Amino acid sequence: MRRDFRRLRRAAAAAGGADAAAALAAGAGALAARLSRPPRRIAGYVAAGGEIDVLPLLVALGAATGAGLCLPVVTAPDTALDFRVWQPDAPLVAGAFGILMPEAAAGRCLPDLLLMPLVAVDRAGRRLGQGGGFYDRTLAAADAAGRMPLTIGVCFAIQLADEVPAGPLDRPLDLILTERGLLVPVR
């Protein structure tokens, strides 16, 4: 399933990735209006492997809500993600797996809204990630600490699957956002 959806994701990025990123950013105001309370800190991610680019959305959503911005950092295998403060003009450095991240001097942050990449997702909000478990561990740690962020899976519409397998510890997404609009998972 991962192989097939990664192929679809790469094709979607090649065919219209820039337009999709612009569509996400254009909907930031509407997304902000749908939130029950404004976030203080929003985490996005730097796209890799055909993932939809959320940086324009992150910047627009930060402007619409007044929230600070963060990006994830992998500090070690089999750990939860760490998050660092990010500004749109700040330099990024290559980290684990070659993923771009803010420099260490950027400082840490704890997001209360998390824009999450994915390989596939179903309408129940079950997310299939890259397979490393970093977001799963991050959400489990946040939940255990009583700081569970609002989770929004961001993807191309082509990444919507009929059903995504989920284990007992998998947490469904709160919302799903594609270039075509916002979906509220059906539970």
Side-chain angles (χ1 to χ4, degrees), residues 114 116 134-144 148-149 151 171:
L114 190 54
M116 297 173 59
F134 289 101
Y135 280 94
D136 295 326
R137 287 187 293 276
T138 300
L139 294 178
D143 192 22
M148 189 65 167
T151 58
R171 300 169 194 287

Side-chain angles (χ1 to χ4, degrees), residues 9-75:
R9 183 177 70 184
R10 284 191 302 274
D19 289 340
L24 292 177
L31 175 58
R34 296 260 335 226
L35 301 175
S36 60
R37 60 183 163 83
R40 293 187 355 227
R41 291 178 201 89
I42 305 168
Y45 58 89
V46 177
E51 292 169 340
I52 196 165
D53 181 6
V54 298
L55 294 184
L57 168 64
L58 182 61
V59 171
L61 194 54
T65 62
L69 308 178
C70 330
L71 291 174
V73 175
V74 174
T75 57

Side-chain angles (χ1 to χ4, degrees), residues 52-128:
I52 196 165
D53 181 6
V54 298
L55 294 184
L57 168 64
L58 182 61
V59 171
L61 194 54
T65 62
L69 308 178
C70 330
L71 291 174
V73 175
V74 174
T75 57
D78 301 323
T79 61
L81 295 168
D82 201 5
F83 293 90
R84 291 188 188 151
V85 174
W86 178 71
Q87 298 293 328
D89 58 348
L92 297 171
V93 297
F97 309 109
I99 297 172
L100 295 176
M101 62 183 195
E103 296 175 323
R108 296 179 72 199
C109 75
L110 294 172
D112 52 355
L113 190 154
L114 190 54
L115 301 173
M116 297 173 59
L118 52 90
V119 175
V121 65
D122 64 22
R123 294 192 183 276
R126 292 180 293 248
R127 172 188 170 272
L128 182 65

